[in-house]
Amino acid sequence: MCIRDRYQRRVRDRSTESMEIVGQTVRNWMNTSDPSFNLAVRVGMALLCICTAAEWISPVAYGRFGEQAVLGLDPRVGWWLMELPCTLVFVYNFYVIGGPQTNKPVPKFLGVLFVCHYLYRGWLFPALMHVHGGSKNFDTTIALGSWVVTCTHGFLSSRWYASVGKHLSSRGWSSSWQFRVGICMYLIGMVMTVGQDHILRELRPCPDQSRYCIPRGGLFDYATCGQYLSELVAWFGFWLMGAGPNGAFIFLVSLVNLVPRAASTHAWYLAKFGEEYEGLNRARLIPFIW
């Protein structure tokens, strides 16, 4: 057997082994001692398929893609309404109902981190938005329909931390490479996210009073959707920290939503600003790559 054949066989074997590990992990997530958690995992898998199809068919109707919304909301209200259930579901299930791990160091830390994340994303971020005129470009059906996703995320996270993710209460988890790398990635991603949000917010009012202008600075000098990249880095770190289906769910839902949306947004900028934008040579999402 030549070297090339041995190499190809080794790649196939490792790919098969990796798929078996992934499959067993998912089966374990769906067969815990908590029936409601198992059901939520199955709902999350179905939602992932739906979100993948929906975003590839047409960009979700908010922001620049929500101009034709039939039942439009002020984007500040729409964003707050969309994220609200996540905070409420998590707080109720983790702090009110609780579980045997609620007061353990790592689950307690992850719970505080989750609440802080959504205090920013669900409350402070929409409150700080600079809205152009009387814009109502956040579709009501998107705000309300997203409740299924945000409720699932809040429920999975609360129960994983409070009772189901047994490894989180072990002494060794806080010193594991997953936890340490995860927290570094999450914090880097969140700092980047807040920075990109600030750049976008300060675009308004545009110099010529137009509705849209080209963002400059930060990751936007290299990619059209630097804020999306930041969010994906943060969510991947979030997944590593807890190593559970809650992190997998929110990272993968964000991935299937933001990757095609980045392509649509890049095309929108090219159509809107033409040669001026094309000359900037920006990637769609990942600097210098795509």
Side-chain angles (χ1 to χ4, degrees), residues 193-253:
T193 296
V194 173
Q196 308 319 300
D197 288 346
H198 176 75
I199 291 171
L200 289 176
R201 191 162 53 243
E202 293 303 308
L203 285 176
R204 289 181 177 153
C206 292
D208 56 357
Q209 299 303 311
S210 62
R211 183 161 190 168
Y212 295 104
C213 43
I214 298 174
R216 302 180 189 276
L219 288 174
F220 293 113
D221 286 342
Y222 308 99
T224 297
C225 297
Q227 77 278 31
Y228 295 168
L229 176 62
S230 303
E231 188 171 346
L232 290 172
V233 170
W235 282 135
F236 189 76
F238 177 86
W239 181 6
L240 281 180
M241 277 191 290
N246 61 316
F249 173 70
I250 192 60
F251 172 72
L252 293 174
V253 163

Side-chain angles (χ1 to χ4, degrees), residues 15-186:
S15 298
T16 301
E17 182 181 355
S18 298
M19 291 303 296
E20 289 175 352
I21 292 172
V22 170
Q24 185 59 52
T25 300
V26 173
R27 286 192 292 273
N28 291 341
W29 287 344
M30 294 191 298
N31 292 282
T32 70
S33 58
D34 185 341
S36 60
F37 185 86
N38 300 339
L39 176 60
V41 172
R42 288 175 168 82
V43 170
M45 293 175 67
L47 288 173
L48 182 60
C49 296
I50 293 170
C51 291
T52 301
E55 188 64 46
W56 280 105
I57 292 171
S58 177
V60 175
Y62 66 86
R64 62 181 55 85
F65 300 113
E67 302 297 341
Q68 305 302 318
V70 177
L71 296 173
L73 292 170
D74 182 306
R76 292 167 292 196
V77 175
W79 193 277
W80 172 79
L81 195 60
M82 178 177 69
E83 301 285 11
L84 178 62
C86 194
T87 307
L88 299 180
V89 169
F90 182 86
V91 168
Y92 177 73
N93 281 280
F94 186 76
Y95 291 106
V96 178
I97 296 179
Q101 299 183 168
T102 300
N103 291 315
K104 298 290 186 180
V106 170
K108 183 187 290 186
F109 169 79
L110 293 174
V112 170
L113 195 71
F114 189 98
V115 171
C116 289
H117 179 96
Y118 279 98
L119 282 175
Y120 171 72
R121 210 61 175 147
W123 297 78
L124 185 59
F125 173 73
L128 293 174
M129 281 183 182
H130 294 173
V131 178
H132 181 82
S135 296
K136 292 189 176 183
N137 57 353
F138 202 112
D139 197 309
T140 304
T141 58
I142 298 302
L144 299 181
S146 296
W147 283 7
V148 184
V149 173
T150 53
C151 284
T152 301
H153 176 38
F155 182 81
L156 285 174
S157 294
S158 61
R159 301 322 301 160
W160 185 253
Y161 297 158
S163 61
V164 181
K166 306 297 185 184
H167 62 284
L168 299 177
S169 61
S170 67
R171 288 187 175 183
W173 185 250
S174 61
S175 59
S176 67
W177 72 266
Q178 294 99 319
F179 186 80
R180 293 183 174 183
V181 172
I183 194 170
C184 288
M185 288 189 69
Y186 176 81

